[in-house]
Amino acid sequence: SNTETYAKNLEQLVVRLKATGVKLVWGTTTPIPEGAKTHDVGDSVPYNTVAAAIMAKHGIPVSDLYGLVKPDLAAHIRPQNIHFTPSGSEFLARQVAQDILTQLQSGDVPANR
């Protein structure tokens, strides 16, 4: 979808999820490597920009996966592919787990969650 449709859908999703009382953490879209067949390099940037504004508006913390892997993307992703190697997926998962743990330890997690 285009960024306008993405923004509309993401806004609705965030509002709906926040209404449940759960704690949210948003993970940014990772970079697109050179030669990927289904996406163009840079495609994730405008979507991350749109998502960042929505997350800021709603006070949702962001796990910056884009920034994490961008400096050494080739070490973590399959060549000319948008999918990560097993070790690249583990690298991302460690960051996501840490960011979720940080939010859970913030003390304002709803009971029974």
Side-chain angles (χ1 to χ4, degrees):
S1 66
N2 61 38
T3 54
E4 289 177 16
T5 301
Y6 177 76
K8 179 183 172 199
N9 292 340
L10 186 57
E11 175 72 25
Q12 289 174 350
L13 181 62
V14 167
V15 168
R16 193 171 185 185
L17 288 171
K18 282 187 74 172
T20 69
V22 298
K23 193 88 164 157
L24 299 173
V25 176
W26 176 258
T28 58
T29 301
T30 54
I32 308 299
E34 290 285 339
K37 306 229 181 327
T38 57
H39 298 75
D40 294 326
V41 172
D43 276 356
S44 53
V45 174
Y47 292 90
N48 281 337
T49 301
V50 165
I54 292 169
M55 299 311 135
K57 173 183 171 185
H58 290 280
I60 297 171
V62 175
S63 183
D64 185 12
L65 303 179
Y66 181 96
L68 179 68
V69 298
K70 177 73 173 160
D72 198 13
L73 184 61
H76 302 290
I77 203 160
R78 295 177 182 173
Q80 300 178 343
N81 196 312
I82 60 170
H83 298 103
F84 287 82
T85 63
S87 63
S89 293
E90 184 178 324
F91 180 69
L92 291 169
R94 278 194 301 270
Q95 183 64 50
V96 170
Q98 181 57 55
D99 291 339
I100 290 170
L101 183 60
T102 297
Q103 291 309 307
L104 290 173
Q105 293 174 337
S106 70
D108 59 348
V109 178
N112 301 322
R113 296 277 182 212

